[in-house]
Short mmCIF file of all heavy atoms in Angstrom, two decimals:
data_model
loop_
_atom_site.label_atom_id
_atom_site.label_comp_id
_atom_site.label_asym_id
_atom_site.label_seq_id
_atom_site.Cartn_x
_atom_site.Cartn_y
_atom_site.Cartn_z
N MET A 135 69.82 119.06 106.38
CA MET A 135 69.32 117.71 106.31
C MET A 135 70.19 116.64 106.96
O MET A 135 69.77 115.56 107.34
CB MET A 135 69.15 117.42 104.89
CG MET A 135 68.33 116.08 104.56
SD MET A 135 67.62 115.95 103.00
CE MET A 135 68.86 115.15 102.06
N ASN A 136 71.51 117.02 107.27
CA ASN A 136 72.36 116.09 107.82
C ASN A 136 71.99 115.79 109.23
O ASN A 136 72.30 114.62 109.68
CB ASN A 136 73.82 116.63 107.74
CG ASN A 136 74.32 116.56 106.37
OD1 ASN A 136 73.94 115.85 105.51
ND2 ASN A 136 75.28 117.51 106.03
N GLU A 137 71.35 116.74 109.93
CA GLU A 137 71.05 116.44 111.35
C GLU A 137 69.87 115.30 111.43
O GLU A 137 69.83 114.75 112.60
CB GLU A 137 70.76 117.74 112.10
CG GLU A 137 69.52 118.40 111.50
CD GLU A 137 69.72 119.46 110.42
OE1 GLU A 137 70.92 119.61 110.01
OE2 GLU A 137 68.77 119.96 110.00
N TYR A 138 69.21 115.13 110.44
CA TYR A 138 68.16 114.05 110.53
C TYR A 138 68.71 112.65 110.69
O TYR A 138 68.20 111.77 111.36
CB TYR A 138 67.19 114.11 109.35
CG TYR A 138 66.57 115.42 109.10
CD1 TYR A 138 66.53 116.07 107.98
CD2 TYR A 138 65.88 116.02 110.15
CE1 TYR A 138 65.82 117.21 107.78
CE2 TYR A 138 65.26 117.20 110.13
CZ TYR A 138 65.25 117.85 108.88
OH TYR A 138 64.61 119.02 108.67
N TRP A 139 69.90 112.36 110.20
CA TRP A 139 70.54 111.14 110.23
C TRP A 139 70.93 110.91 111.70
O TRP A 139 71.06 109.72 112.16
CB TRP A 139 71.80 111.05 109.43
CG TRP A 139 71.46 111.07 107.98
CD1 TRP A 139 71.63 112.15 107.13
CD2 TRP A 139 70.82 110.14 107.27
NE1 TRP A 139 71.17 111.90 105.91
CE2 TRP A 139 70.59 110.64 105.88
CE3 TRP A 139 70.37 108.87 107.40
CZ2 TRP A 139 69.94 109.95 104.89
CZ3 TRP A 139 69.72 108.17 106.53
CH2 TRP A 139 69.51 108.69 105.12
N CYS A 140 71.19 111.86 112.54
CA CYS A 140 71.40 111.77 113.98
C CYS A 140 70.29 111.08 114.67
O CYS A 140 70.44 110.55 115.72
CB CYS A 140 71.75 113.04 114.59
SG CYS A 140 73.21 113.82 113.99
N PHE A 141 69.08 111.21 114.22
CA PHE A 141 67.96 110.54 114.76
C PHE A 141 67.59 109.20 114.15
O PHE A 141 67.16 108.33 114.74
CB PHE A 141 66.68 111.45 114.72
CG PHE A 141 66.79 112.79 115.42
CD1 PHE A 141 66.93 113.97 114.74
CD2 PHE A 141 66.76 112.75 116.80
CE1 PHE A 141 67.15 115.07 115.55
CE2 PHE A 141 66.87 113.88 117.57
CZ PHE A 141 67.04 115.10 116.89
N LEU A 142 67.81 109.15 112.83
CA LEU A 142 67.40 107.98 112.00
C LEU A 142 68.27 106.79 112.33
O LEU A 142 67.76 105.67 112.67
CB LEU A 142 67.50 108.24 110.57
CG LEU A 142 66.81 107.31 109.59
CD1 LEU A 142 65.42 107.11 109.95
CD2 LEU A 142 67.05 107.66 108.14
N ILE A 143 69.50 106.93 112.37
CA ILE A 143 70.55 105.79 112.63
C ILE A 143 70.27 105.16 114.03
O ILE A 143 70.16 103.94 114.10
CB ILE A 143 71.92 106.25 112.40
CG1 ILE A 143 72.14 106.51 110.88
CG2 ILE A 143 72.99 105.18 112.86
CD1 ILE A 143 73.36 107.09 110.48
N PRO A 144 70.23 106.04 115.17
CA PRO A 144 69.98 105.44 116.39
C PRO A 144 68.64 104.72 116.56
O PRO A 144 68.49 103.57 117.13
CB PRO A 144 70.08 106.50 117.45
CG PRO A 144 70.83 107.48 116.75
CD PRO A 144 70.45 107.33 115.23
N ALA A 145 67.57 105.20 115.80
CA ALA A 145 66.29 104.60 115.87
C ALA A 145 66.39 103.14 115.23
O ALA A 145 65.84 102.13 115.66
CB ALA A 145 65.27 105.43 115.12
N ILE A 146 67.08 103.07 114.09
CA ILE A 146 67.24 101.83 113.35
C ILE A 146 67.99 100.88 114.25
O ILE A 146 67.63 99.77 114.38
CB ILE A 146 67.90 102.06 112.03
CG1 ILE A 146 66.94 102.81 111.09
CG2 ILE A 146 68.18 100.74 111.35
CD1 ILE A 146 67.50 103.27 109.86
N LEU A 147 69.04 101.30 114.84
CA LEU A 147 69.90 100.37 115.69
C LEU A 147 69.05 99.90 116.90
O LEU A 147 69.15 98.79 117.31
CB LEU A 147 71.18 101.15 116.14
CG LEU A 147 72.10 101.34 115.08
CD1 LEU A 147 73.34 102.15 115.64
CD2 LEU A 147 72.66 100.12 114.41
N LEU A 148 68.27 100.79 117.50
CA LEU A 148 67.46 100.37 118.63
C LEU A 148 66.45 99.30 118.22
O LEU A 148 66.19 98.39 118.92
CB LEU A 148 66.75 101.52 119.26
CG LEU A 148 67.57 102.37 120.25
CD1 LEU A 148 66.84 103.59 120.72
CD2 LEU A 148 67.85 101.43 121.50
N ALA A 149 65.91 99.44 117.02
CA ALA A 149 64.86 98.52 116.55
C ALA A 149 65.60 97.16 116.29
O ALA A 149 64.92 96.13 116.58
CB ALA A 149 64.27 99.03 115.29
N ILE A 150 66.75 97.23 115.70
CA ILE A 150 67.44 95.98 115.41
C ILE A 150 67.78 95.20 116.71
O ILE A 150 67.70 93.99 116.73
CB ILE A 150 68.79 96.28 114.60
CG1 ILE A 150 68.49 96.71 113.20
CG2 ILE A 150 69.69 94.98 114.48
CD1 ILE A 150 69.50 97.13 112.43
N PHE A 151 68.23 95.85 117.77
CA PHE A 151 68.62 95.22 118.93
C PHE A 151 67.56 95.29 120.03
O PHE A 151 67.92 95.12 121.25
CB PHE A 151 69.94 96.02 119.52
CG PHE A 151 71.11 95.69 118.54
CD1 PHE A 151 71.62 96.78 117.92
CD2 PHE A 151 71.68 94.44 118.41
CE1 PHE A 151 72.66 96.66 117.02
CE2 PHE A 151 72.69 94.38 117.52
CZ PHE A 151 73.28 95.39 116.85
N SER A 152 66.31 95.43 119.62
CA SER A 152 65.23 95.50 120.74
C SER A 152 65.12 94.17 121.55
O SER A 152 64.88 94.18 122.71
CB SER A 152 64.01 95.87 120.07
OG SER A 152 63.58 94.96 119.12
N ASP A 153 65.42 93.08 120.77
CA ASP A 153 65.33 91.82 121.51
C ASP A 153 66.34 91.73 122.50
O ASP A 153 66.16 91.23 123.74
CB ASP A 153 65.54 90.57 120.53
CG ASP A 153 64.37 90.39 119.59
OD1 ASP A 153 63.31 90.68 119.98
OD2 ASP A 153 64.59 89.86 118.43
N LYS A 154 67.59 92.01 122.31
CA LYS A 154 68.65 91.97 123.18
C LYS A 154 68.41 93.06 124.40
O LYS A 154 68.69 92.67 125.49
CB LYS A 154 70.08 92.41 122.55
CG LYS A 154 70.42 91.59 121.38
CD LYS A 154 70.97 90.30 121.90
CE LYS A 154 71.54 89.53 120.77
NZ LYS A 154 71.76 88.17 120.88
N ILE A 155 67.81 94.12 124.17
CA ILE A 155 67.48 95.11 125.17
C ILE A 155 66.47 94.49 126.08
O ILE A 155 66.63 94.68 127.36
CB ILE A 155 67.10 96.49 124.66
CG1 ILE A 155 68.27 97.11 123.91
CG2 ILE A 155 66.57 97.37 125.64
CD1 ILE A 155 67.94 98.26 122.98
N ASP A 156 65.52 93.98 125.47
CA ASP A 156 64.36 93.38 126.25
C ASP A 156 64.88 92.22 127.15
O ASP A 156 64.42 92.12 128.31
CB ASP A 156 63.23 92.90 125.36
CG ASP A 156 62.11 92.34 126.00
OD1 ASP A 156 61.49 93.07 126.72
OD2 ASP A 156 61.76 91.13 125.75
N GLU A 157 65.72 91.41 126.58
CA GLU A 157 66.26 90.34 127.43
C GLU A 157 67.11 90.81 128.60
O GLU A 157 67.08 90.39 129.64
CB GLU A 157 67.15 89.34 126.52
CG GLU A 157 66.37 88.58 125.62
CD GLU A 157 67.25 87.75 124.64
OE1 GLU A 157 68.48 87.79 124.81
OE2 GLU A 157 66.69 87.13 123.68
N ALA A 158 67.89 91.91 128.38
CA ALA A 158 68.87 92.39 129.39
C ALA A 158 67.99 93.12 130.42
O ALA A 158 68.37 93.01 131.68
CB ALA A 158 69.68 93.40 128.77
N ALA A 159 66.79 93.66 130.14
CA ALA A 159 65.98 94.33 131.07
C ALA A 159 65.01 93.34 131.71
O ALA A 159 64.25 93.65 132.75
CB ALA A 159 65.17 95.48 130.43
N LYS A 160 64.91 92.11 131.22
CA LYS A 160 63.94 91.06 131.65
C LYS A 160 62.55 91.69 131.74
O LYS A 160 61.84 91.68 132.77
CB LYS A 160 64.36 90.55 133.00
CG LYS A 160 65.66 89.81 132.87
CD LYS A 160 66.06 89.26 134.23
CE LYS A 160 67.40 88.64 134.31
NZ LYS A 160 68.45 88.76 133.44
N ALA A 161 62.07 92.27 130.59
CA ALA A 161 60.81 92.96 130.62
C ALA A 161 59.59 92.26 129.96
O ALA A 161 58.66 92.93 129.50
CB ALA A 161 60.99 94.30 130.02
N ASP A 162 59.69 91.00 129.79
CA ASP A 162 58.66 90.13 129.28
C ASP A 162 57.96 90.76 127.98
O ASP A 162 56.64 90.83 128.10
CB ASP A 162 57.74 89.69 130.33
CG ASP A 162 56.73 90.70 130.99
OD1 ASP A 162 56.79 91.87 130.54
OD2 ASP A 162 56.01 90.36 131.73
N GLU A 163 58.65 91.04 127.07
CA GLU A 163 58.18 91.56 125.74
C GLU A 163 57.57 92.87 125.81
O GLU A 163 57.14 93.46 124.65
CB GLU A 163 57.26 90.53 125.13
CG GLU A 163 57.99 89.19 124.80
CD GLU A 163 59.06 89.25 123.70
OE1 GLU A 163 58.70 90.01 122.72
OE2 GLU A 163 60.07 88.67 123.77
N LYS A 164 57.24 93.52 126.99
CA LYS A 164 56.60 94.88 126.93
C LYS A 164 57.49 95.90 126.50
O LYS A 164 57.17 96.87 125.67
CB LYS A 164 56.10 95.07 128.24
CG LYS A 164 54.87 94.27 128.69
CD LYS A 164 54.39 94.65 130.06
CE LYS A 164 53.17 93.75 130.43
NZ LYS A 164 52.72 94.10 131.77
N LEU A 165 58.80 95.87 126.94
CA LEU A 165 59.71 96.85 126.61
C LEU A 165 59.99 96.85 125.17
O LEU A 165 60.26 97.79 124.48
CB LEU A 165 61.01 96.65 127.42
CG LEU A 165 62.11 97.67 127.23
CD1 LEU A 165 61.62 99.09 127.48
CD2 LEU A 165 63.37 97.22 127.95
N LYS A 166 60.20 95.61 124.52
CA LYS A 166 60.40 95.47 123.22
C LYS A 166 59.31 96.04 122.31
O LYS A 166 59.65 96.82 121.36
CB LYS A 166 60.49 93.89 122.72
CG LYS A 166 60.74 93.66 121.34
CD LYS A 166 60.68 92.18 121.00
CE LYS A 166 60.78 91.89 119.59
NZ LYS A 166 60.61 90.61 119.18
N LYS A 167 58.04 96.06 122.59
CA LYS A 167 57.09 96.66 121.89
C LYS A 167 57.14 98.13 121.99
O LYS A 167 57.01 98.81 121.02
CB LYS A 167 55.71 96.23 122.39
CG LYS A 167 55.36 94.69 122.08
CD LYS A 167 54.07 94.21 122.62
CE LYS A 167 53.87 92.73 122.40
NZ LYS A 167 52.56 92.36 123.02
N VAL A 168 57.46 98.59 123.24
CA VAL A 168 57.52 100.01 123.35
C VAL A 168 58.73 100.69 122.57
O VAL A 168 58.65 101.64 121.81
CB VAL A 168 57.68 100.34 124.85
CG1 VAL A 168 58.13 101.82 125.07
CG2 VAL A 168 56.47 99.97 125.72
N ILE A 169 59.88 99.95 122.54
CA ILE A 169 61.03 100.37 121.74
C ILE A 169 60.76 100.40 120.36
O ILE A 169 61.01 101.32 119.61
CB ILE A 169 62.28 99.39 122.03
CG1 ILE A 169 62.78 99.68 123.47
CG2 ILE A 169 63.38 99.72 121.09
CD1 ILE A 169 63.81 98.71 123.91
N LEU A 170 60.04 99.37 119.82
CA LEU A 170 59.72 99.28 118.38
C LEU A 170 58.76 100.35 118.00
O LEU A 170 58.82 100.99 117.00
CB LEU A 170 59.19 97.88 118.08
CG LEU A 170 60.18 96.75 118.05
CD1 LEU A 170 59.45 95.42 117.77
CD2 LEU A 170 61.28 96.96 117.02
N VAL A 171 57.79 100.69 118.95
CA VAL A 171 56.84 101.81 118.54
C VAL A 171 57.51 103.06 118.51
O VAL A 171 57.33 103.91 117.59
CB VAL A 171 55.71 101.76 119.50
CG1 VAL A 171 54.79 102.99 119.46
CG2 VAL A 171 54.75 100.53 119.42
N ILE A 172 58.42 103.37 119.38
CA ILE A 172 59.09 104.62 119.54
C ILE A 172 60.03 104.72 118.30
O ILE A 172 60.13 105.77 117.59
CB ILE A 172 59.96 104.78 120.77
CG1 ILE A 172 58.93 105.02 122.01
CG2 ILE A 172 60.96 105.90 120.72
CD1 ILE A 172 59.56 104.95 123.36
N CYS A 173 60.71 103.68 117.91
CA CYS A 173 61.70 103.67 116.81
C CYS A 173 60.83 103.81 115.46
O CYS A 173 61.36 104.58 114.64
CB CYS A 173 62.41 102.39 116.75
SG CYS A 173 63.59 102.21 118.09
N ALA A 174 59.75 103.18 115.29
CA ALA A 174 58.95 103.39 114.14
C ALA A 174 58.40 104.82 114.11
O ALA A 174 58.44 105.36 112.94
CB ALA A 174 57.79 102.43 114.19
N GLY A 175 58.00 105.44 115.13
CA GLY A 175 57.68 106.84 115.12
C GLY A 175 58.70 107.82 114.75
O GLY A 175 58.56 108.68 113.89
N VAL A 176 59.90 107.57 115.27
CA VAL A 176 61.05 108.38 114.99
C VAL A 176 61.43 108.21 113.49
O VAL A 176 61.70 109.26 112.73
CB VAL A 176 62.25 108.08 115.87
CG1 VAL A 176 63.57 108.81 115.34
CG2 VAL A 176 62.03 108.53 117.37
N VAL A 177 61.47 107.01 113.02
CA VAL A 177 61.83 106.79 111.65
C VAL A 177 60.81 107.45 110.73
O VAL A 177 61.08 108.08 109.70
CB VAL A 177 61.92 105.23 111.33
CG1 VAL A 177 62.04 104.98 109.90
CG2 VAL A 177 63.18 104.72 111.93
N LEU A 178 59.61 107.16 111.08
CA LEU A 178 58.48 107.79 110.05
C LEU A 178 58.58 109.33 110.09
O LEU A 178 58.56 109.97 109.05
CB LEU A 178 57.13 107.36 110.63
CG LEU A 178 55.80 107.84 109.82
CD1 LEU A 178 55.83 107.17 108.50
CD2 LEU A 178 54.64 107.48 110.54
N ILE A 179 58.58 110.00 111.28
CA ILE A 179 58.76 111.45 111.31
C ILE A 179 59.94 111.90 110.59
O ILE A 179 59.97 112.96 109.80
CB ILE A 179 58.75 111.94 112.73
CG1 ILE A 179 57.38 111.63 113.41
CG2 ILE A 179 59.09 113.42 112.90
CD1 ILE A 179 57.29 111.82 114.82
N THR A 180 61.11 111.19 110.75
CA THR A 180 62.35 111.60 110.21
C THR A 180 62.25 111.55 108.64
O THR A 180 62.69 112.37 107.81
CB THR A 180 63.49 110.86 110.63
OG1 THR A 180 63.60 110.98 112.10
CG2 THR A 180 64.89 111.32 110.11
N LEU A 181 61.71 110.37 108.12
CA LEU A 181 61.62 110.22 106.64
C LEU A 181 60.57 111.30 106.03
O LEU A 181 60.89 111.76 104.90
CB LEU A 181 61.09 108.77 106.40
CG LEU A 181 62.18 107.72 106.70
CD1 LEU A 181 61.57 106.40 106.34
CD2 LEU A 181 63.35 108.03 105.74
N ILE A 182 59.60 111.59 106.75
CA ILE A 182 58.57 112.61 106.31
C ILE A 182 59.34 113.91 106.17
O ILE A 182 59.16 114.62 105.16
CB ILE A 182 57.34 112.71 107.18
CG1 ILE A 182 56.51 111.44 107.01
CG2 ILE A 182 56.60 113.91 106.79
CD1 ILE A 182 55.34 111.26 107.97
N ARG A 183 60.09 114.25 107.17
CA ARG A 183 60.89 115.57 107.16
C ARG A 183 61.87 115.58 106.02
O ARG A 183 62.05 116.65 105.40
CB ARG A 183 61.43 115.72 108.53
CG ARG A 183 62.17 117.02 108.73
CD ARG A 183 61.12 118.10 108.75
NE ARG A 183 61.91 119.39 108.97
CZ ARG A 183 61.54 120.54 108.66
NH1 ARG A 183 60.34 120.75 108.15
NH2 ARG A 183 62.25 121.54 108.87
N VAL A 184 62.59 114.47 105.84
CA VAL A 184 63.67 114.37 104.83
C VAL A 184 62.94 114.53 103.33
O VAL A 184 63.38 115.41 102.53
CB VAL A 184 64.43 113.17 104.89
CG1 VAL A 184 65.23 112.92 103.60
CG2 VAL A 184 65.36 113.12 106.06
N VAL A 185 61.92 113.90 103.20
CA VAL A 185 61.21 114.02 101.85
C VAL A 185 60.63 115.36 101.70
O VAL A 185 60.66 115.95 100.65
CB VAL A 185 59.98 112.83 101.83
CG1 VAL A 185 59.17 113.10 100.58
CG2 VAL A 185 60.66 111.50 101.82
N SER A 186 60.06 115.97 102.72
CA SER A 186 59.52 117.30 102.59
C SER A 186 60.65 118.35 102.33
O SER A 186 60.39 119.32 101.54
CB SER A 186 58.66 117.67 103.73
OG SER A 186 59.65 117.90 104.98
N ASP A 187 61.79 118.19 102.77
CA ASP A 187 62.91 119.06 102.56
C ASP A 187 63.32 118.87 101.15
O ASP A 187 63.86 119.88 100.53
CB ASP A 187 64.08 118.85 103.49
CG ASP A 187 63.84 119.49 104.83
OD1 ASP A 187 62.96 120.39 104.94
OD2 ASP A 187 64.60 119.25 105.81
N LEU A 188 63.20 117.73 100.58
CA LEU A 188 63.69 117.50 99.17
C LEU A 188 62.82 118.20 98.15
O LEU A 188 63.21 118.64 97.19
CB LEU A 188 63.73 115.93 98.86
CG LEU A 188 64.87 115.20 99.53
CD1 LEU A 188 64.60 113.73 99.27
CD2 LEU A 188 66.18 115.62 99.14
N PHE A 189 61.54 118.26 98.49
CA PHE A 189 60.49 118.74 97.56
C PHE A 189 60.02 120.22 97.86
O PHE A 189 59.58 120.90 96.99
CB PHE A 189 59.27 117.89 97.51
CG PHE A 189 59.68 116.59 96.94
CD1 PHE A 189 59.53 115.28 97.65
CD2 PHE A 189 59.91 116.45 95.54
CE1 PHE A 189 59.85 114.17 97.12
CE2 PHE A 189 60.19 115.22 94.93
CZ PHE A 189 60.13 114.05 95.68
N ILE A 190 60.21 120.54 99.15
CA ILE A 190 59.98 121.97 99.48
C ILE A 190 61.04 122.78 99.99
O ILE A 190 61.48 122.59 101.07
CB ILE A 190 58.78 121.93 100.61
CG1 ILE A 190 57.63 121.04 100.11
CG2 ILE A 190 58.37 123.41 100.94
CD1 ILE A 190 56.55 120.98 101.19
N PRO A 191 61.80 123.47 99.11
CA PRO A 191 62.96 124.21 99.53
C PRO A 191 62.58 125.34 100.56
O PRO A 191 61.54 125.90 100.36
CB PRO A 191 63.43 124.82 98.25
CG PRO A 191 62.40 124.79 97.23
CD PRO A 191 61.51 123.73 97.70
N THR A 192 63.55 125.48 101.49
CA THR A 192 63.19 126.58 102.46
C THR A 192 63.97 127.80 102.20
O THR A 192 65.00 127.86 101.60
CB THR A 192 63.55 126.06 103.86
OG1 THR A 192 64.91 125.66 103.95
CG2 THR A 192 62.68 125.01 104.29
#
């Protein structure tokens, strides 16, 4: 379960700094939306996997 944090923490950090990344790339808000969608997907998939590991032992 520890390896899931390797995906969750960067996804959260990317979502937090998506405004700064968008400004640095000068991408007129399109890049920000793409980053947020990808981060939300990674967070959702990771959380589902963590919860399933808690309730379904392998």
Side-chain angles (χ1 to χ4, degrees):
M135 191 160 89
N136 289 335
E137 62 270 1
Y138 300 131
W139 295 108
C140 295
F141 296 107
L142 191 59
I143 292 172
I146 292 170
L147 289 175
L148 277 174
I150 291 171
F151 294 111
S152 64
D153 287 333
K154 302 279 186 199
I155 295 170
D156 185 55
E157 288 174 9
K160 297 181 182 18
D162 69 0
E163 296 293 318
K164 289 181 183 178
L165 181 60
K166 178 183 174 185
K167 291 177 186 176
V168 170
I169 290 172
L170 289 176
V171 167
I172 291 171
C173 291
V176 169
V177 168
L178 182 65
I179 291 169
T180 304
L181 289 177
I182 290 171
R183 184 71 178 154
V184 167
V185 169
S186 71
D187 279 351
L188 290 175
F189 292 112
I190 304 172
T192 54

